[in-house]
Amino acid sequence: MHQQTPALYNDCAYTMISAEEISVLVDRIAAEVQATYQDSPRRLIMVVILKGSMPFAAELLKRLTLPVELEFMKVSSYGAGTKSSGEIKISLDLVRDDLQDIDLLLIEDIVDSGRTLSRLTDLLRNRNAHSVRTCTLLDKPSRREVDFTPDFCGTVVPDEFVVGFGLDYNEKYRNLPFIGVLKPEIYS
Ligand code: IMP
Ligand code: MG
């Protein structure tokens, strides 16, 4: 029987990172995270930055065997479209009074200008978290506007607007199981 390719898939010009490749990247990141926090006597909290990081965080979480807790922050830097507005808005904050005893690991889908993670790490360090590290599935260093390097990174990607595995364009495509590049006509 002929199976039709779903319309969402057809909006992609090509697959940049397949589901299988994503899985290999997450395996490696999980091993690095595990090695980093293995001997820490403190509580480790993964801070999932909503919404795009949700699938990545879920895959990472289930590969970790050390005790890890979960918190969420919701931050937006993008309006509708593919260009950053340059400022970030925190609409769900991490409110706790015990951060001095905690190792924080911020989970992001992609680092672009670097503003989001740079602002968030500053903020949480100012609130006296014992440590603040950052973990991103994808990094686009060619687009950096501030000096920022993630502690853990799946892979560097070229300057293309990507969707899938949590990443969206106008809230669509988050459910694609791979990372794809949208066809140019989708933007217009
Ligand atoms: P930054 O603050 O410029 O580093 O932006 C990071 C945020 O921009 C990410 O969490 C994404 O939400 C969004 N973003 C950056 N590049 C892309 C992309 O290629 N596709 C989808 N979202 C992106
Ligand atoms: Mg995001």
Side-chain angles (χ1 to χ4, degrees), residues 1-5:
M1 194 173 71
H2 177 69
Q3 290 255 345
Q4 273 207 314
T5 308

Side-chain angles (χ1 to χ4, degrees), residues 126-171:
N126 286 335
R127 292 182 189 171
N128 294 320
H130 186 274
S131 72
V132 182
R133 289 189 180 87
T134 55
C135 176
T136 186
L137 180 64
L138 307 178
D139 190 6
K140 273 190 210 172
S142 60
R143 303 247 313 163
R144 213 60 108 243
E145 292 168 16
V146 296
D147 182 24
F148 176 82
T149 308
D151 296 288
F152 305 96
C153 170
T155 186
V156 164
V157 292
D159 184 9
E160 302 260 31
F161 193 80
V162 289
V163 295
F165 199 64
L167 291 145
D168 73 304
Y169 173 66
N170 289 350
E171 297 300 326

Side-chain angles (χ1 to χ4, degrees), residues 11-17 78 81-83 109-113 138-144 155-164 167-169 179-185 187:
D11 287 351
C12 289
Y14 64 95
T15 300
M16 187 183 276
I17 308 173
Y78 273 59
T82 62
K83 287 272 171 344
D109 47 6
I110 187 166
V111 182
D112 187 52
S113 72
L138 307 178
D139 190 6
K140 273 190 210 172
S142 60
R143 303 247 313 163
R144 213 60 108 243
T155 186
V156 164
V157 292
D159 184 9
E160 302 260 31
F161 193 80
V162 289
V163 295
L167 291 145
D168 73 304
Y169 173 66
I179 307 278
V181 175
L182 280 185
K183 289 177 180 164
E185 58 260 37
Y187 300 101

Side-chain angles (χ1 to χ4, degrees), residues 51-71:
K51 303 174 219 174
S53 312
M54 191 270 270
F56 171 44
E59 287 300 309
L60 182 59
L61 185 68
K62 65 187 186 186
R63 286 165 169 81
L64 299 177
T65 57
L66 45 74
V68 57
E69 301 170 39
L70 266 188
E71 292 282 1

Side-chain angles (χ1 to χ4, degrees), residues 110-126:
I110 187 166
V111 182
D112 187 52
S113 72
R115 291 183 190 279
T116 305
L117 283 185
S118 155
R119 279 276 312 275
L120 289 183
T121 47
D122 284 352
L123 180 79
L124 295 164
R125 281 180 184 138
N126 286 335

